[in-house]
């Protein structure tokens, strides 16, 4: 049975503001409106007309009885979608433009990650670290120290480090150039609710995205094997500062701030989770996009700005509820919309920064890889095309495959889930596990993950 919020039952925001102002005064009215704003009466219809209407949308298949949507989901905007087929299973205000916080780093990674091989080294200049917002989350990048690209991306994905973002932006030609690239990439993905002002997601005027767009962006990023691996890494080592006179450079362990991946007090890691990114600022509240796999089904959930008085964990609890619902309901609901394909076709950013990464992706997916990383099928009836292939012909083939099958396969998520949970990934896995702590490890510069979430 369709679920939605009829316009007739909604008090227009302007009327509500006027009534509150008359009773309590303009200042109180402004505070109340900011605390509990209303979505626009009409939003983008990309992905389907229903997605442009405010309220909650879910539609049962004829004769089916899907489980009821979970109670207590307070997020202003959320969406549950099938990451491979692109079907939107249910949504609430999915095109509402809201501050994204550090979930915007997914677009940063989707845009910049393919440009540099992970083994490339870079010595940080003092000017690379300028311009970060007050209270930014940091991984501990230091000027005049050398880091590999892989180090920096781990800092972005695991600790949401704005310092790592700014260094990678400097490598990309600077912050203004990177912002232009990200906005161009958003248009290519047809993420038209998204406007980038700062590459790290720090609160800025007019910087917005939506649950729909963040799901699009995550789906695109997850086509890249390196993106997938970073997003699914629970812990890793990060280089410390090498001081004068020291022979050996120390390191310290960093932990992913995605609490569905690592758990927290009163919150267990979510079974099947494989990424992707969380965020939190005073203006955005908490935001999160997560991807999880159960059996053959891969779901994406984006949740934006829930009510939260419990230290930043509500966004994860509500995401977990929506994932549980999605896995239980997927075969009993009709799609209420779809995740659209990019202008340039699927997988357009799905190449790794180096050929080794593309070969690795093909091995994880099954089959073998040629020297350029393209996967060769083993003749067992598969029609998939390797993720991350390069060259015009293969991009065209990928687009044709999507047009026929309307799927973006993510073949190695199960392996990633096993790895982050401590299970053996098997003899064919080409993994790069986080090393165990050693006696030379420095202390984490910001050991409080909750404090990091509040400022990322």
């Amino acid at each position: 049975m369709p679920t939605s919020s009829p316009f007739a039952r909604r008090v227009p925001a302007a009327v509500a503001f006027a009534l509150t102002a008359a009773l309590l005064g303009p200042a109180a009215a402004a505070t109340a409106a900011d605390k509990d704003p209303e979505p626009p009466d009409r939003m983008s219809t990309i992905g389907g007309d229903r997605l442009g209407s405010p309220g909650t949308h879910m539609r049962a298949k004829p004769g089916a009885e899907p489980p009821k949507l979970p109670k207590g989901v307070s997020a202003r905007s959320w969406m549950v979608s099938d990451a491979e087929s692109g079907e939107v299973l249910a949504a609430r205000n999915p095109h509402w433009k809201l501050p994204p916080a550090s979930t915007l780093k997914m677009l940063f990674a989707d845009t910049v990650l393919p440009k540099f091989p992970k083994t490339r080294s870079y010595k940080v200049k003092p000017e690379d670290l300028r311009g970060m917002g007050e209270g930014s989350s940091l991984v501990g990048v230091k000027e005049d120290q050398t880091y590999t690209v892989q180090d920096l991306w781990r800092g972005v994905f695991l600790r949401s480090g704005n310092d790592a973002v700014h260094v990678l932006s400097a490598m990309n030609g600077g912050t203004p150039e990177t912002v232009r690239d990200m906005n161009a990439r958003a248009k290519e993905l047809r993420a038209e609710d998204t406007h980038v002002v700062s590459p790290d997601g720090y609160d800025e005027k007019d910087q917005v995205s939506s649950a729909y767009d963040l799901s699009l962006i995550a789906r695109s990023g997850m086509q890249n094997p390196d993106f997938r691996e970073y997003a699914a890494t629970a812990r890793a080592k990060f280089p410390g500062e090498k001081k004068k006179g020291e022979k050996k450079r120390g390191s310290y362990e960093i932990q992913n701030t995605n609490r569905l991946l690592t758990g927290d007090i009163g919150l267990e890691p979510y079974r099947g989770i494989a990424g992707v990114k969380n965020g939190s600022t005073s203006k955005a509240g908490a935001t999160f996009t997560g991807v999880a796999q159960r059996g053959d089904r891969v779901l994406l959930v984006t949740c934006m700005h829930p009510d939260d008085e419990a230290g930043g964990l509500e966004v994860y609890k509500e995401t977990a509820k929506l994932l549980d619902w999605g896995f239980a309901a997927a075969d009993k609901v009709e799609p209420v919309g779809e995740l659209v394909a990019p202008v340039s076709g699927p997988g357009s950013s799905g190449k790794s920064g180096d050929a080794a990464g593309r070969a690795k992706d093909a091995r994880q997916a099954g089959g073998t890889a040629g020297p350029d990383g393209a996967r060769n099928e083993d003749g067992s009836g598969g029609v998939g095309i390797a993720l991350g292939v390069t060259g015009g012909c293969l991009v065209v083939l990928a687009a044709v495959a999507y047009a026929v099958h309307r799927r973006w396969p993510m073949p190695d998520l199960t392996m990633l889930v096993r790895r982050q949970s401590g299970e053996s990934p098997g003899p064919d896995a080409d993994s790069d596990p986080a090393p165990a702590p050693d006696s030379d490890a420095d202390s984490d510069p910001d050991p409080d993950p909750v404090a990091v979430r509040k400022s990322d």
Side-chain angles (χ1 to χ4, degrees), residues 156-290:
V156 171
F157 277 86
L158 274 67
R159 289 307 293 242
S160 204
N162 289 4
D163 45 359
V165 170
H166 279 253
V167 172
L168 287 162
S169 295
M171 294 175 64
N172 189 55
T175 295
E177 177 70 19
T178 300
V179 167
R180 284 192 291 270
D181 288 349
M182 290 173 67
N183 280 317
R185 180 61 183 155
K187 288 183 179 179
E188 189 176 15
L189 293 175
R190 299 173 68 188
E192 296 184 7
D193 299 327
T194 300
H195 179 67
V196 181
V197 179
S198 173
D200 53 25
Y202 193 87
D203 285 342
E204 297 283 357
K205 186 177 183 297
D206 298 326
Q207 180 153 274
V208 291
S209 190
S210 67
Y212 183 89
D213 281 13
L214 292 173
S215 297
L216 275 186
I217 292 163
R219 190 187 189 208
S220 175
M222 291 293 287
Q223 297 298 300
N224 184 316
D226 289 337
F227 186 111
R228 289 199 298 275
E229 182 165 345
Y230 294 134
T233 300
R235 294 171 181 83
K237 286 295 191 70
F238 193 80
E241 182 178 7
K242 185 177 182 180
K243 300 176 182 178
K244 290 183 180 180
E246 293 182 347
K247 292 183 179 180
K248 186 178 179 182
R249 185 178 184 182
S251 63
Y252 50 87
E253 184 178 90
I254 55 175
Q255 177 174 289
N256 202 312
T257 55
N258 172 358
R259 311 323 283 175
L260 286 190
L261 191 66
T262 60
D264 206 332
I265 298 172
L267 182 70
E268 293 294 323
Y270 189 81
R271 182 167 63 89
I273 196 74
V276 280
K277 191 69 188 77
N278 57 298
S280 177
T281 66
S282 57
K283 186 176 181 181
T287 59
F288 181 64
T289 297

Side-chain angles (χ1 to χ4, degrees), residues 415-426:
M415 187 211 70
L416 288 171
V417 170
R418 287 200 303 268
R419 182 192 308 163
Q420 60 91 3
S421 64
E423 299 177 32
S424 172

Side-chain angles (χ1 to χ4, degrees), residues 226-443:
D226 289 337
F227 186 111
R228 289 199 298 275
E229 182 165 345
Y230 294 134
T233 300
R235 294 171 181 83
K237 286 295 191 70
F238 193 80
E241 182 178 7
K242 185 177 182 180
K243 300 176 182 178
K244 290 183 180 180
E246 293 182 347
K247 292 183 179 180
K248 186 178 179 182
R249 185 178 184 182
S251 63
Y252 50 87
E253 184 178 90
I254 55 175
Q255 177 174 289
N256 202 312
T257 55
N258 172 358
R259 311 323 283 175
L260 286 190
L261 191 66
T262 60
D264 206 332
I265 298 172
L267 182 70
E268 293 294 323
Y270 189 81
R271 182 167 63 89
I273 196 74
V276 280
K277 191 69 188 77
N278 57 298
S280 177
T281 66
S282 57
K283 186 176 181 181
T287 59
F288 181 64
T289 297
V291 63
Q293 181 169 0
R294 297 270 180 90
D296 293 331
R297 192 174 300 280
V298 183
L299 295 184
L300 272 169
V301 168
T302 295
C303 192
M304 302 185 75
H305 209 314
D307 296 336
D308 192 0
E309 304 295 336
L313 295 181
E314 188 62 26
V315 72
Y316 303 107
K317 294 177 180 179
E318 295 192 7
T319 297
K321 289 180 182 180
L322 290 168
L323 282 168
D324 285 345
W325 176 87
F327 286 120
D331 294 324
K332 300 177 181 180
V333 296
E334 297 280 3
V336 294
E338 66 173 352
L339 295 173
V340 295
V343 172
S344 56
S348 57
S349 71
K351 55 183 181 295
S352 299
D354 52 18
R358 295 191 292 277
K360 173 181 173 181
D361 179 62
R363 290 196 299 275
Q364 291 174 351
T368 60
D372 65 348
R375 176 183 170 192
N376 299 314
E377 294 293 340
D378 60 6
S380 61
V383 295
I385 296 173
L387 304 174
V389 293
T390 57
C393 293
L394 292 179
V395 169
V396 171
L397 287 175
V400 171
Y402 180 79
V404 174
H405 300 284
R406 300 192 65 77
R407 297 187 67 83
W408 285 17
M410 296 182 186
D412 66 340
L413 284 190
T414 301
M415 187 211 70
L416 288 171
V417 170
R418 287 200 303 268
R419 182 192 308 163
Q420 60 91 3
S421 64
E423 299 177 32
S424 172
D428 296 328
D430 182 9
S431 62
D432 184 15
D438 58 40
S439 58
D440 296 320
D442 299 330
S443 61

Side-chain angles (χ1 to χ4, degrees), residues 124-188:
V124 178
K125 305 177 183 67
E127 56 268 27
D128 297 343
L129 297 175
R130 293 173 189 158
M132 289 185 291
E134 183 179 355
S136 286
S137 55
L138 305 173
V139 67
V141 175
K142 303 295 183 183
E143 62 185 57
D144 299 322
Q145 300 291 305
T146 299
Y147 301 86
T148 65
V149 166
Q150 179 172 256
D151 293 332
L152 295 170
W153 282 117
R154 284 174 171 170
V156 171
F157 277 86
L158 274 67
R159 289 307 293 242
S160 204
N162 289 4
D163 45 359
V165 170
H166 279 253
V167 172
L168 287 162
S169 295
M171 294 175 64
N172 189 55
T175 295
E177 177 70 19
T178 300
V179 167
R180 284 192 291 270
D181 288 349
M182 290 173 67
N183 280 317
R185 180 61 183 155
K187 288 183 179 179
E188 189 176 15

